Structure formats: structure tokens, C-alpha cells
């Protein structure tokens, strides 16, 4: 029996629902395919203490007791596991750093290995479960997979409540460069990030990879306070992918920094028309609305953003500040109390 098929009857209702969805996805989409897989199958489970990796040495035993069950942080990637099927069901939302898991899966995957991921569908105002860190838009998830070395990213199921994704391991070293540049930017070192991108010697063959490269270049310019170059890089990104919500969001931020509120609002609204749950755009629109004196509307948007990132203290502080400014102290108290109850002790 799979480790999370047998849960206690007193488990929270939300977790029962997720477990039931996992079982249904395994039975309906994965078990038959896994049993036809000759090589190893691995599945990630996101638990409060951190993600664990379950390993079956061949697909015929998938769904039974795994050959190994260990924290993913303890996996030695030099052991050449060469997994042919990689699975992560309703886990990215419950992991503080899902990109680190995607990268780990890439390292342990065989050439052309298939990855299957299930995620919940985000929407503004959605209430997250206590164990969830964040909801990610489709674009954000695809971007993270691309930067971690996967291609052919698509949705097998695109329902109102969950999405089932598939991807394939890319065989070039290009994703490692994108990941290293992203890590440098997160650390605040735009110069190091730029050097990584300049050292990319392999051709980027997919539209997704070229788009992510352009966005990382834009981020380097932004962090280096080169707004003109950043603007041009974002425009180039949209020339590659006119539906890139993050590029529109970046243009909105640049216009806001320049005091062009109307243009900024237009860009943020365009981003949200593509990805309604994009937190950066929700937060950016809230800032512009506040600057225009529309504080009630700003409060609504920052609440939506905080709902999707309940552990983000900056968003929580914005909710409190704006709510108190417009006299919604009781609503703020309820919101903060509820948000605090969702955070781990």
C-alpha cells in the first residue's frame, strides 16, 4: 500500500481531500503507466518536516511498499539512480522551495525521463490549507520547471480545482546556467548572475528557455538599476511570448517607479488578465491604487495577494497598514487571527 493511502479517520478534511485526489490520480493516470516502466520510479511526498523521496526500483512495484523512503535532502545524486518516471502530487504548494525539488529530480532522472506533477489551481481570494506555503500560477510553475531543466511542459488535466502536468528531462547543460543565474539573483548578486548568462555557450532551443533567459537578463538590469535596459529586455521577452504575465508585471513595476501610474496600472491589469493569481501583479496593482488615492481597492488586492502567500510578512504588514488606514480594524483583526492560525507553530 502506498504510504499515504492509509490515513487516520480523524485527519483534517482538507488533507483527506488531497489524499483522495492523490489516490485517484495514481489509479487513473499513473499506475498503469508506471507498471510499463522498466527503470526506477520515484515520487516526492511533501511533509511538514520536509520533502521525502520514495523509490521503486522498477515500475511493476509502484504503489506497493517502496524500496526506499528517505528525506530528499539526504539523497546522494552521484548514485546515478536514472529514474524513468518522476512523480510529485499536490506537493509544490507544500514546499518552501519547490525549485530545489525540481532540480533534484532532474539530477536523478534518466535521459528523456518523464515528470508528472499535480498542483491545485490558484485564484485570487483562495484560502490555503495550514500546510501550504504558496499557490503558484501556471506560468510560474512552467518557468520553474524550465529553469530546472525540463521541457515539453504541458497540462494533461486542466480542471477548475487541480492541474496535472507532464514534462520531460532536457539533456543539455543550459538549464544549469539558468538555475545558477537565478540563485545569484536571489542572493542579490546581479553581477554574478549576468556572468552566468554571458557564459551560456549552448543554444536555447525552446521558446520557454529563451523566454526565461530574457527575463533573467531583465532582472539583472533591474537589480543593477538600469531601467532602460530592463525595459528593453522585458519588451524582447514579450516579442518572444506575448502572453508572459511576468513581463507585463515587470513593465508595470518600472512605470510605477517612474511615477507613470496609468501606464503601470494598465500593465498590471494585463498581467492579471493572463494570470489572475500572480502575486507580484496583485501587490503592484495595490501599490498603484494606493498612490492614486484608491485605498479601499488597494486593500482588496493586497488581501488577495496575502491569501496566496500567507507566510509573507511584507504582505501581511500591508494588509494591516491599509486596513487600519481605511478603518477596517475588525476585518484586519479577523484576517490576522485567521492567517496566524494557518501558520505552523
Amino acid at each position: 500500500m502506498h504510504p499515504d493511502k492509509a490515513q487516520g479517520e480523524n485527519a483534517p478534511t482538507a488533507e483527506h481531500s488531497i489524499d483522495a485526489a492523490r489516490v485517484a490520480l495514481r489509479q487513473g493516470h499513473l499506475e498503469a503507466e508506471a507498471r510499463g516502466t522498466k527503470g526506477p520510479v520515484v515520487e516526492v511526498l511533501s511533509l511538514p518536516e520536509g520533502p521525502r523521496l520514495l523509490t521503486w526500483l522498477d515500475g511493476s512495484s509502484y504503489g506497493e511498499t517502496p524500496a526506499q523512503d528517505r528525506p530528499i535532502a539526504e539523497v546522494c545524486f552521484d548514485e546515478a539512480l536514472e529514474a524513468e518516471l518522476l512523480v510529485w502530487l499536490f506537493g509544490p504548494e507544500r514546499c518552501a522551495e519547490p525549485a530545489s525539488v525540481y532540480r533534484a529530480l532532474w539530477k536523478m532522472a534518466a535521459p528523456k525521463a518523464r515528470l508528472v506533477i499535480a498542483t491545485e489551481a490558484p485564484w485570487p481570494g483562495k484560502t490555503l490549507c495550514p500546510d501550504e506555503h504558496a499557490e503558484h500560477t501556471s506560468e510560474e510553475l512552467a518557468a520553474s520547471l524550465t529553469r530546472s531543466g525540463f521541457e515539453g511542459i504541458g497540462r494533461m488535466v486542466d480542471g477548475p480545482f487541480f492541474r496535472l502536468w507532464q514534462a520531460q528531462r532536457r539533456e543539455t547543460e543550459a538549464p544549469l546556467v539558468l538555475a545558477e543565474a537565478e540563485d545569484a539573483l536571489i542572493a542579490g548578486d546581479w553581477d554574478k548572475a549576468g556572468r552566468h548568462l554571458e557564459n551560456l555557450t549552448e543554444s536555447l532551443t525552446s521558446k520557454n528557455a529563451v523566454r526565461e533567459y530574457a527575463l533573467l537578463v531583465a532582472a539583472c538590469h533591474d537589480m543593477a538599476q538600469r531601467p532602460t535596459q530592463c525595459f528593453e529586455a522585458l519588451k524582447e521577452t514579450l516579442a518572444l511570448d506575448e502572453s508572459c504575465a511576468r513581463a507585463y508585471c515587470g513593465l508595470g513595476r518600472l512605470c510605477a517607479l517612474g511615477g507613470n501610474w496609468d501606464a503601470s496600472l494598465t500593465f498590471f491589469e494585463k498581467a492579471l488578465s493572463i494570470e489572475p493569481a500572480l502575486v507580484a501583479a496583485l501587490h503592484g496593482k495595490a501599490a498603484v491604487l494606493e498612490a492614486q488615492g484608491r485605498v479601499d481597492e488597494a486593500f482588496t488586492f493586497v488581501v488577495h495577494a496575502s491569501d496566496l502567500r500567507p507566510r509573507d510578512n511584507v504582505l501581511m504588514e500591508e494588509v494591516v497598514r491599509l486596513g487600519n488606514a481605511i478603518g477596517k480594524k475588525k476585518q484586519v483583526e479577523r484576517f490576522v487571527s485567521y492567517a496566524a492560525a494557518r501558520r505552523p507553530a
Side-chain angles (χ1 to χ4, degrees), residues 50-63:
R52 297 188 68 85
L53 186 74
L54 311 181
T55 304
W56 292 266
L57 298 182
D58 62 78
S60 63
S61 59
Y62 178 71

Side-chain angles (χ1 to χ4, degrees), residues 164-237:
L164 190 64
W165 300 81
Q166 63 180 349
Q168 190 176 61
R169 187 187 194 274
R170 188 189 297 123
E171 288 311 299
T172 70
E173 294 298 311
L176 300 181
V177 176
L178 298 182
E180 288 167 348
E182 182 179 38
D183 288 343
L185 284 168
I186 292 172
D189 193 339
W190 57 265
D191 187 52
K192 182 178 180 181
R195 290 197 302 272
H196 281 306
L197 295 173
E198 289 173 0
N199 291 334
L200 182 64
T201 57
E202 297 181 16
S203 298
L204 298 172
T205 56
S206 75
K207 172 183 173 181
N208 283 354
V210 176
R211 180 197 64 211
E212 295 310 310
Y213 177 88
L215 283 170
L216 287 168
V217 169
C220 288
H221 288 312
D222 185 26
M223 191 171 288
Q225 298 184 2
R226 298 190 290 256
T228 301
Q229 293 93 324
C230 180
F231 190 90
E232 291 303 316
L234 290 171
K235 296 293 282 187
E236 289 179 10
T237 303

Side-chain angles (χ1 to χ4, degrees), residues 6-229:
Q7 295 288 328
E9 292 301 320
N10 295 322
T13 301
E15 190 57 36
H16 267 306
S17 299
I18 292 298
D19 287 344
R22 287 193 189 105
V23 172
L25 286 174
R26 291 186 187 107
Q27 293 175 344
H29 292 275
L30 294 173
E31 289 186 355
E33 177 180 348
R35 292 193 178 108
T37 301
K38 295 181 179 179
V41 175
V42 299
E43 181 169 353
V44 179
L45 288 182
S46 292
L47 301 173
E49 60 271 22
R52 297 188 68 85
L53 186 74
L54 311 181
T55 304
W56 292 266
L57 298 182
D58 62 78
S60 63
S61 59
Y62 178 71
E64 300 174 5
T65 301
Q68 292 180 325
D69 177 356
R70 51 192 169 161
I72 198 168
E74 296 179 5
V75 176
C76 176
F77 299 117
D78 294 330
E79 62 191 7
L81 180 61
E82 296 284 295
E84 291 189 11
L85 179 63
L86 315 156
V87 180
W88 197 12
L89 303 180
F90 301 108
E93 305 92 341
R94 292 165 171 78
C95 181
E97 297 180 357
S100 65
V101 175
Y102 301 145
R103 295 179 195 181
L105 291 173
W106 184 85
K107 290 178 180 178
M108 69 181 71
K112 303 298 182 182
R114 186 168 176 234
L115 170 66
V116 178
I117 298 176
T119 63
E120 296 179 51
W123 61 83
K126 181 177 181 180
T127 299
L128 274 63
C129 295
D131 63 340
E132 290 184 290
H133 289 259
E135 296 280 8
H136 305 281
T137 66
S138 296
E139 184 178 309
E140 288 171 318
L141 184 141
S144 191
L145 286 174
T146 298
R147 295 182 183 190
S148 301
F150 291 93
E151 61 186 355
I153 302 161
R155 280 174 280 189
M156 304 160 61
V157 175
D158 190 6
F161 303 111
F162 78 92
R163 294 164 179 170
L164 190 64
W165 300 81
Q166 63 180 349
Q168 190 176 61
R169 187 187 194 274
R170 188 189 297 123
E171 288 311 299
T172 70
E173 294 298 311
L176 300 181
V177 176
L178 298 182
E180 288 167 348
E182 182 179 38
D183 288 343
L185 284 168
I186 292 172
D189 193 339
W190 57 265
D191 187 52
K192 182 178 180 181
R195 290 197 302 272
H196 281 306
L197 295 173
E198 289 173 0
N199 291 334
L200 182 64
T201 57
E202 297 181 16
S203 298
L204 298 172
T205 56
S206 75
K207 172 183 173 181
N208 283 354
V210 176
R211 180 197 64 211
E212 295 310 310
Y213 177 88
L215 283 170
L216 287 168
V217 169
C220 288
H221 288 312
D222 185 26
M223 191 171 288
Q225 298 184 2
R226 298 190 290 256
T228 301
Q229 293 93 324

